[in-house]
Amino acid sequence: MLFSSDGIQYEHSATYHFHEPALPEDQLTSERQRQRRARILDAAVTVAAAGGYDRVHVRDIADLAKVSLATLYHYFPSKVHVLVWALDRELMRFDDDLAHRLAQIQDPFARLRIVVWRLVKAMEHSDRVTEAMTHAYVASSMVASAEAEMIRVQTSKMFAHLMSDGAVDELHRNTADVLTDVWTSEILALVQGRRTFDEVHRRLHTVIDLIARANEPRCEHGETSLRPPPSRRTTP
């Protein structure tokens, strides 16, 4: 077993390759391969739902997906990779599912508050799967750096897309980047037991309120970014 400085425990085996990226779907050449990859992700979620991160074992995922261990490792170098890619898929599904529900809401920050509330509630509802996926996301910063960056980018894109009403601008992108950084920090605190789901929601909501308040005067004058106000020269 391998341990990081923060006490998080990672699975180790002879076939475990640090920082080796998983095989993305767009590199698969047949529908059969895509279906096999999807089965592995489905199996990972099912196994995670039964007991959380510590109960997820690569062999169990392979058995449930009806593939060999060698085949699973061809697609995903470790259980961290499998769970992080499952998280990426869940974020995309969440984005698709929620987008049409926000169509009547014009205020971008009101949309974002709903997004955060729904996201935290969804995570809490499937707490074992959430624990496994978020634990893997934290672990990915050490053993699957490409996947860690993928989740950061996907989360930021999701926030920006759901905050906007079709056209993502600089305000949406900058707000999403800030919120993603806070979300990542809160996920680490959640995994380490330093936060509850309610606390994560309150802190994210506070960040949204602060950003919205900071942007009100500039938005009124046509500015749509989180840039600091221009410096003012004072005459001696």
Side-chain angles (χ1 to χ4, degrees):
M1 308 299 287
L2 178 71
F3 292 84
S4 75
S5 59
D6 59 11
I8 294 175
Q9 186 173 324
Y10 308 112
E11 183 174 306
H12 180 73
S13 74
T15 53
Y16 198 101
H17 303 289
F18 294 124
H19 300 289
E20 179 179 322
L23 187 63
E25 187 175 7
D26 60 10
Q27 290 187 18
L28 303 181
T29 57
S30 71
E31 183 60 27
R32 184 178 179 182
Q33 288 178 322
R34 286 186 284 272
Q35 290 176 356
R36 185 183 296 127
R37 184 180 184 276
R39 287 205 316 274
I40 293 171
L41 293 177
D42 290 341
V45 173
T46 300
V47 172
Y53 183 83
D54 289 337
R55 298 289 296 274
V56 175
H57 301 292
V58 174
R59 182 173 295 280
D60 293 337
I61 297 173
D63 289 345
L64 188 58
K66 295 182 171 31
V67 299
S68 68
L69 273 176
T71 296
L72 187 148
Y73 281 123
H74 174 69
Y75 290 92
F76 302 101
S78 74
K79 84 172 187 179
V80 169
H81 291 76
V82 183
L83 290 170
V84 171
W85 274 97
L87 174 59
D88 181 71
R89 189 178 64 169
E90 291 305 306
L91 289 172
M92 287 190 288
R93 288 176 172 176
F94 179 84
D95 190 341
D96 292 340
D97 179 64
L98 195 54
H100 72 280
R101 302 176 187 233
L102 302 172
Q104 304 303 316
I105 302 172
Q106 299 302 314
D107 178 6
F109 293 103
R111 294 167 68 96
L112 199 53
R113 290 183 189 97
I114 294 173
V115 170
V116 165
W117 182 82
R118 292 291 296 270
L119 179 60
V120 173
K121 285 299 178 185
M123 291 168 62
E124 186 175 14
H125 181 69
S126 54
D127 57 340
R128 286 183 176 176
V129 176
T130 294
E131 186 271 339
M133 289 183 179
T134 54
H135 198 135
Y137 176 42
V138 173
S140 68
S141 63
M142 284 192 63
V143 299
S145 54
E147 277 72 15
E149 177 62 12
M150 173 189 72
I151 292 296
R152 191 199 68 79
V153 170
Q154 179 61 38
T155 304
S156 183
K157 287 172 64 176
M158 178 192 71
F159 283 142
H161 173 238
L162 293 176
M163 183 184 180
S164 71
D165 191 19
V168 175
D169 62 21
E170 190 176 2
L171 173 63
H172 304 138
R173 285 190 292 270
N174 289 342
T175 300
D177 281 344
V178 171
L179 193 60
T180 298
D181 287 343
V182 177
W183 182 80
T184 301
S185 175
E186 292 302 301
I187 287 299
L188 175 59
L190 189 68
V191 167
Q192 293 177 335
R194 296 184 290 109
R195 294 279 190 277
T196 65
F197 286 107
D198 284 342
E199 288 169 341
V200 169
H201 175 249
R202 283 198 301 271
R203 292 170 74 89
L204 293 175
H205 198 282
T206 298
V207 171
I208 295 169
D209 286 347
L210 290 172
I211 296 174
R213 207 170 303 154
N215 277 272
E216 281 175 1
R218 292 195 287 279
C219 287
E220 289 175 2
H221 291 86
E223 292 188 29
T224 56
S225 73
L226 294 177
R227 295 169 297 181
S231 59
R232 297 179 180 176
R233 293 184 179 180
T234 57
T235 55

